[in-house]
Every structure is written in C-alpha cells, then in structure tokens.
Amino acid sequence: MALLPILTLAVNSDITTGIATDSTVYGGAEPARNSLGVFVVYRKINASGEATNIVTLPDNADPNLVTSWTFDYGDDGRYSGLYIAVPNYTVATYALNDCVHSSGVVYQSQSSGNVSTNLLDTNFWLPIASPALLVVAENVPANCTTANLQVILNRKTNRYVGDFALEASLDCDCSNIDTHNYFYTLQLYNEGMIIANSRARFADGEKLAVKAKKLYTTCLANGI
Amino acid sequence: MAYNPSFVDIEYAARTAILEAALKVASIFDYTRFKDDIDKASKVITYLKAIQNDDSLTFDEKTQIYQCIISTAGIFDFPVAPQLGSASVPDIILGGSGNTVIINQGSSLTQGSNTDIDVTTETVDTFATNLYQSVLWLYKVTSPSGAIRSGTISATWTGSLVEWAEASTLDLNGDTSGLTFDVTNNGTVIALRATVTSNNWQVYFTRIPNYIN
C-alpha cells in the first residue's frame, strides 16, 4: 500500500502562523520515515485559482527527520499544502523525472534508465530548489509520494464573529441594528466557509473568505 | 411511498442551504439586500448548533428542532411528484410500510479488500471526503490462523474531523483481536486503516454511503 500523506493544521493564538504537523503513518508496510526526505510548502490560492507560495519553514533542517512546518498565516481562505516524500538515494535504475534525496538535497533524473551514481553529474541529475513544488509541476516524479492537501482556513473570520457577537450582545435593546446585521452576515460567511471546506468546495470557500474580510475590515475602519 | 429524511439528511441539506445563502449574499456588494436570506440562514445555524452542543436534548426535542430547520431552510418541502423513468440502478427497498430501509443505489456500493495486511498499519479503503458525508463499512476479518469476525464501522466527518464507531460479532475459530481498525481524515481523503500485531491478515469490506452528494 502507498503512503497516505496527512498534515494536521493548527494556527497560533495571534493568528499569524500556521503549523502543519506530519501525521502520515510511516514504517511497517510503508517506507520507514528515515528512508524518505519529506518536503512541504504551503501556498495561498486566490479566487482566480492563482497560487502564491508562502515561506514554509521545517522544524528540522534534515528532511529525514522533520515532523512539522510553520508558515505565515495571512488572510483566511484557500490554502494548499504540497507534500512530497522522496526516497533516499540508493544504487538503482531510475526513470526520467524520478527523484532521490541525499543529504538534504533532492535530485531529479534527467534520463530514462538512469544508473548514474554521481548525483553531481548534471547530465543525469539536476538539484531541485523547491522539491514540494514538483507536486504541481508537469514532471511529477513517479517514484515519490505526493499530495496537494487543500483546506479553507477561517481563523480570523471566526475570531471576528466572536467580537461581533460581543458587540451585538452589548446592544441588547437593538438600538443599533447595523451591529446585529453585521454579526449575522459575518456569521453566515463563516459557516459557509466551514461547510465549503467540508465539501471540498475550495473556490467557494475562498470567495466567502474574501467577502468576510471586506466586511470586517469595513466595520473596523468605521469603528463598528 | 413517503420519504422521511433522516436527521443526517436534514443536517446535510440544511448546511447546503446555508452555503447557498452565503454565496448568494457574497455575490453582491450590498449584502443588506438579502436580509431575509441572512436572517433565515442565521436561524438555521442557531438550530444546528443547538442540536450539536446539547447532549441533554430528548428525541422529541430534537425532532422539533429538525422540523424548525426544515421549515426555516425550505428543505424537503414535500409533497413532490414522483420521478418516473429513471435509467439509473434502482434502490433496493427492504421492509414494509413505515419500516422501510433503503439501501443506496447499487452503483454506489463499493466492495474491496486488502488480503495481505502486515505489521503495523495498512490502508484498507480510501475515498475523497467530498463524495459523501458519512459512510458504513461492512467487513469480515480473517486472521493468519483462520479466525474470523464480522462487523460494521460507521463514520462521519466534516473538515479535517472524523468520528467513527465499530460494532462486531464475537470471534470464531480463534482470536482476531490482533487487528484493530481506525478511520482517518486529512481533510481531503477518508481512510479506513487496519493495525495488526502480526503479518498476513485479510479484510474484505463493502462500503455503503449514508448520503450521496
């Protein structure tokens, strides 16, 4: 059976940093963890489907040991975690685009039937600067486990829903009806994001995140 | 034949209504134009939270809340005309009037196996989270020495969360306690996994979606 990549996501309390922990099961019938170089990068996907890479830092410089990654948490919305597990180099015959890991560097085979043992020979191997981006490249290595783990994150909107609820509660005689309307609208966007995530409707989730941000930003600017 | 939606059906349809309302409101600049939609959706959100966050509710109280959800969200607004002439695989209906059990369409049943499960953990079945919201597996386990047990595992999920429960027969021909199941959800894929204490176990399963998107 193949590895089933799982990244468990958390966000720090001030909503500035995302933490992805590798919950993939290694060993047993699957490859041992220390036989693989694991690389992860997070990307923010906008409403048009365009991706922006986010600096993603591993908790260990050794890809054979890293177990979690951190990335800057900007806006709520659609995030994509690209995961690749690259086998450590062993003497073997490699196909075109196959990848191997050696001492923190990933090399991609430049030919079929590649038996070169010299990873520095660029006729046969090319170092890859951002291995995780191979997940969405045209030359995906067939000998690696890859995953594009998408998710809708709503931490900021969720916090503002709480803030708006407080404001609405303090206005218990409904003297300022806008306060209540803003709360209900933001709550609707927030719930919509949660549902969109659970149904893998990521484009819809991103759209709601953008609208939610526009709403709470306007409210904050107007002192609401 | 009247169709009585289950609580799971109602919750799923209600969430669909919430998502549609959110997208509708988000589609224009002046969201106040959809105040009625926002009000209705907010009530549905509140009702759903009432059900999820209160374990003390009685069945009758829950039924009453679900009725409120149905009427507020405008879902399952029966009666509807029967749909005739379907070319799809028909449902299999068991039981008499008032006690019917509908097994989902034949095309949605999935059978499979992992006939060589070795230590420690292997995947038995996987599928995308967006295919269904909940599922039931019927399974048979066979140990390396020929002991067997049969059982069911039900699971439901949202986002990256999953809840599951197992029920099984007693063992026959020996001991099958060396194989345990769990269900994982990475936000994209649901996996039924088996963890074993020795090599060469077998699992055969049938996957039945409780709800089809």
Side-chain angles (χ1 to χ4, degrees):
Chain A
M1 303 298 290
L3 280 176
L4 180 67
I6 299 173
L7 295 175
T8 305
L9 273 177
V11 178
N12 70 342
S13 58
D14 58 356
I15 318 181
T16 56
T17 304
I19 305 111
T21 302
D22 191 354
S23 303
T24 308
V25 175
Y26 301 97
E30 312 298 346
R33 177 64 187 84
N34 62 7
S35 73
L36 300 166
V38 176
F39 300 82
V40 166
V41 68
Y42 268 82
R43 305 186 306 162
K44 180 73 180 65
I45 314 291
N46 70 12
S48 302
E50 297 158 341
T52 302
N53 297 334
I54 305 171
V55 174
T56 306
L57 301 175
D59 68 346
N60 190 308
D62 186 347
N64 286 143
L65 299 175
V66 58
T67 57
S68 71
W69 296 261
T70 57
F71 60 92
D72 288 343
Y73 189 100
D75 292 330
D76 286 348
R78 183 181 187 180
Y79 284 78
S80 157
L82 304 181
Y83 166 105
I84 188 168
V86 184
N88 291 344
Y89 176 76
T90 57
V91 176
T93 303
Y94 291 93
L96 176 67
N97 295 329
D98 277 358
C99 284
V100 295
H101 165 252
S102 177
S103 301
V105 179
V106 168
Y107 299 88
Q108 188 163 39
S109 173
Q110 300 301 297
S111 68
S112 58
N114 184 356
V115 294
S116 171
T117 59
N118 181 5
L119 296 175
L120 301 179
D121 183 346
T122 54
N123 290 316
F124 293 96
W125 297 102
L126 274 185
I128 302 297
S130 302
L133 293 180
L134 287 170
V135 175
V136 289
E138 291 182 358
N139 53 344
V140 180
N143 69 328
C144 300
T145 299
T146 61
N148 181 356
L149 303 169
Q150 296 193 64
V151 66
I152 297 294
L153 295 175
N154 67 324
R155 300 299 192 276
K156 288 187 176 177
T157 304
N158 198 52
R159 173 166 291 185
Y160 282 116
V161 167
D163 291 348
F164 282 30
L166 176 62
E167 291 296 323
S169 300
L170 293 174
D171 181 41
C172 60
D173 61 352
C174 294
S175 59
N176 184 354
I177 198 66
D178 281 347
T179 301
H180 300 268
N181 288 338
Y182 291 140
F183 162 66
Y184 288 127
T185 306
L186 194 63
Q187 178 186 237
L188 178 57
Y189 288 153
N190 193 44
E191 290 294 327
M193 290 163 67
I194 295 168
I195 297 164
N197 181 58
S198 71
R199 299 182 183 182
R201 291 175 61 171
F202 301 116
D204 286 337
E206 170 65 16
K207 181 178 181 180
L208 295 174
V210 171
K211 295 295 285 191
K213 182 186 178 186
K214 194 170 289 185
L215 177 58
Y216 65 67
T217 303
T218 302
C219 290
L220 293 174
N222 293 330
I224 298 172
Chain B
M1 181 188 69
Y3 169 57
N4 295 316
S6 68
F7 288 172
V8 171
D9 291 342
I10 296 168
E11 286 191 29
Y12 189 88
R15 290 198 170 87
T16 301
I18 292 168
L19 179 56
E20 288 173 353
L23 291 169
K24 182 178 177 182
V25 174
S27 65
I28 61 166
F29 180 74
D30 180 11
Y31 51 83
T32 59
R33 281 172 49 193
F34 291 133
K35 189 173 181 314
D36 284 349
D37 296 273
I38 295 170
D39 287 347
K40 283 183 183 176
S42 297
K43 286 178 183 173
V44 175
I45 291 169
T46 303
Y47 297 151
L48 287 172
K49 286 184 175 173
I51 290 170
Q52 291 161 354
N53 297 336
D54 192 343
D55 294 335
S56 66
L57 290 172
T58 65
F59 182 82
D60 287 345
E61 288 169 337
K62 280 187 176 179
T63 301
Q64 189 174 350
I65 294 172
Y66 279 115
Q67 287 299 328
C68 286
I69 291 173
I70 288 173
S71 60
T72 306
I75 54 178
F76 300 113
D77 48 351
F78 301 122
V80 297
Q83 294 183 354
L84 303 177
S86 170
S88 60
V89 179
D91 292 338
I92 302 166
I93 302 173
L94 306 175
S97 176
N99 292 299
T100 54
V101 176
I102 300 176
I103 295 181
N104 280 317
Q105 290 180 352
S107 58
S108 65
L109 295 178
T110 302
Q111 293 187 311
S113 63
N114 184 337
T115 57
D116 184 19
I117 300 175
D118 298 332
V119 288
T120 303
T121 301
E122 291 198 16
T123 304
V124 175
D125 185 28
T126 61
F127 54 88
T129 53
N130 62 343
L131 288 180
Y132 335 111
Q133 192 184 25
S134 59
V135 77
L136 177 71
W137 284 281
L138 315 178
Y139 73 79
K140 187 191 81 169
V141 166
T142 306
S143 77
S145 61
I148 59 173
R149 83 168 186 268
S150 174
T152 62
I153 296 169
S154 58
T156 188
W157 55 90
T158 182
S160 297
L161 304 176
V162 63
E163 286 290 340
W164 62 276
E166 179 181 4
S168 72
T169 66
L170 296 175
D171 294 339
L172 281 177
N173 299 335
D175 181 9
T176 68
S177 62
L179 183 147
T180 56
F181 288 103
D182 74 341
V183 181
T184 64
N185 174 11
N186 68 0
T188 307
V189 174
I190 297 294
L192 172 64
R193 307 187 307 178
T195 298
V196 292
T197 55
S198 60
N199 293 337
N200 304 321
W201 289 74
Q202 296 182 338
V203 172
Y204 288 85
F205 69 86
T206 298
R207 183 209 311 156
I208 304 173
N210 289 353
Y211 192 94
I212 305 170
N213 281 2

